[in-house]
Amino acid sequence: MGKRNTICAGIDTGKHKLDVALDGNSEQLQVDHTVEGHQVLVEWLKCRKVKRVGIEASGGYEQAVVAELRRKRFVVVLFQPKQVRAYGTFHLLLAKNDKIDAKLIAMCTAAVRTIHSAPDPRLQPFADHLTMIDQITEDIARLKNRLESCRDTRIQGVWKAQIALLAKSKRAEFKALLAAIRTHSDLAARLDLIYCGLPTAAAVLIRMPEIGTITRERASALSGLAPYDDDSGKRSGARHIKGGRERLRWALYNAALPASSRWNPQIRALYGRLIAAGKPHKCALVACARKLLVTINAVVARGIPWEPEMPQLAKLTT
């Protein structure tokens, strides 16, 4: 194999500091996690002819530096923490501190074989906005649980008032989000192709920007709806879903419930077949959510609006 000629760097992200290391080089750098520190980082990387930078997702702290590096035309690879730790375990690199982590991330970056395109930068503010709306929904659910177990009428009134206020805020924020999306004609057209109700359509559009450009298998895996084998030797274990984008998965799962009982004839037929075959309710709903996403992916890829079709019934022989 030929020697790699792409110079790679790794960044360990902290709340206040960034630790930077080069693959195959002992030189390291620490800068403040500020706008000024980002400028120092960019110049340092350019001087060393770095082309590819790896960075570990760190609860959102990495977003500002990732955006700045992409603006400066660096190829940025965003890793999940478990990917970096698994790579370190494989190489028996078990020690951990910020400088060691930066070096390990640099090694991971150099080992990457497939580089995915950077996501549409317009979607990041929408993702933050949608997450806030999801959090309001979670707050409402918690308050409803408190209300259900509360017997004091005065306290019930407090919870009901807060629920009403949050529900009003949620409607206003979602309306504002849709208005912001529709200022971009291409995003508005894609949103209209996703036929499963506006809340779910917005979640798919924002949380899966790859929709319509990837295979059905890849879409299922990214959403965390792909069933994985669990077999060994003569044992055949139950298939389980794992990983993926949690908030997207929940949006699709919540959409699958009414789709499987009311508005989508294909999903309703699939749910009926799975239940008749003895599948548990939740297992059938996960399959319906996956079918929903696969159909959306195909519709967006074709660019033709979805039209419901009644499932064909077997003809009765006379």
Side-chain angles (χ1 to χ4, degrees):
M1 293 180 63
K3 183 179 179 181
R4 284 193 297 264
N5 54 15
T6 300
I7 301 176
C8 301
I11 301 177
D12 180 70
T13 311
K15 185 175 182 179
H16 303 293
K17 297 288 184 180
L18 299 173
D19 286 275
V20 192
L22 299 177
D23 179 56
N25 191 313
S26 61
E27 192 174 3
Q28 292 192 305
L29 172 73
Q30 186 182 77
V31 297
D32 292 334
H33 197 350
T34 61
V35 173
E36 294 76 12
H38 297 168
Q39 297 305 315
V40 173
L41 169 64
V42 167
E43 292 304 319
W44 189 85
L45 294 173
K46 285 183 176 179
C47 288
R48 284 146 188 83
K49 300 186 181 339
V50 172
K51 300 296 184 184
R52 186 190 302 172
V53 182
I55 189 166
E56 187 179 85
S58 182
Y61 288 126
E62 79 288 347
Q63 290 180 5
V65 67
V66 167
E68 179 62 20
L69 289 171
R70 283 176 171 158
R71 277 195 296 269
K72 299 301 183 181
R73 306 291 185 176
F74 289 96
V75 175
V76 179
V77 182
L78 189 62
F79 293 104
Q80 295 300 317
K82 64 174 64 176
Q83 292 177 286
V84 178
R85 293 319 308 165
Y87 189 86
T89 301
F90 176 77
H91 289 279
L92 301 179
L93 302 173
L94 306 182
K96 178 175 174 59
N97 61 44
D98 293 343
K99 291 184 178 181
I100 292 174
D101 287 349
K103 193 71 176 177
L104 183 58
I105 294 169
M107 293 172 60
C108 289
T109 307
V112 166
R113 292 292 176 267
T114 302
I115 305 295
H116 300 288
S117 300
D120 188 337
R122 297 175 298 174
L123 294 179
Q124 185 57 54
F126 298 153
D128 294 339
H129 197 167
L130 183 58
T131 297
M132 186 197 73
I133 295 169
D134 290 345
Q135 290 166 342
I136 293 174
T137 304
E138 293 160 6
D139 290 341
I140 292 173
R142 278 192 287 269
L143 288 172
K144 285 183 176 180
N145 288 336
R146 294 177 188 175
L147 179 61
E148 187 175 348
S149 61
C150 179
R151 298 295 176 264
D152 187 299
T153 55
R154 186 191 69 81
I155 298 175
Q156 286 177 351
V158 173
W159 295 146
K160 287 179 180 179
Q162 290 194 19
I163 290 170
L165 185 63
L166 285 172
K168 182 179 179 181
S169 176
K170 177 184 172 181
R171 289 192 296 271
E173 292 296 341
F174 187 66
K175 183 178 179 180
L177 174 62
L178 291 180
I181 291 172
R182 291 195 181 281
T183 60
H184 304 278
S185 59
D186 58 329
L187 297 182
R190 203 181 315 162
L191 181 69
D192 292 336
L193 284 172
I194 305 172
Y195 61 91
C196 52
L198 280 176
T200 308
V204 173
L205 173 72
I206 294 169
R207 303 203 186 281
M208 185 173 278
E210 306 93 341
I211 194 72
T213 64
I214 53 178
T215 65
R216 56 190 295 163
E217 294 82 8
R218 180 66 176 160
S220 298
L222 287 175
S223 64
L225 291 170
Y228 291 102
D229 295 352
D230 185 21
D231 302 339
S232 180
K234 295 182 179 180
R235 182 182 69 84
S236 180
R239 274 54 177 161
H240 295 284
I241 61 173
K242 62 175 66 174
R245 300 170 186 175
E246 184 178 7
R247 290 191 180 277
L248 172 64
R249 181 170 64 253
W250 274 111
L252 290 163
Y253 185 85
N254 289 333
L257 184 58
S260 63
S261 60
R262 294 195 300 274
W263 64 267
N264 190 306
Q266 284 87 12
I267 301 297
R268 194 165 63 240
L270 172 63
Y271 179 82
R273 288 198 304 272
L274 293 172
I275 293 299
K279 299 295 184 182
H281 169 69
K282 287 186 177 181
C283 180
L285 277 183
V286 168
C288 289
R290 183 168 59 251
K291 175 67 174 178
L292 194 60
L293 177 62
V294 166
T295 306
I296 291 170
N297 189 55
V299 167
V300 175
R302 291 196 303 264
I304 302 173
W306 177 77
E307 293 183 3
E309 296 178 2
M310 294 298 295
Q312 294 183 354
L313 301 176
K315 295 182 179 178
L316 295 176
T317 57
T318 56

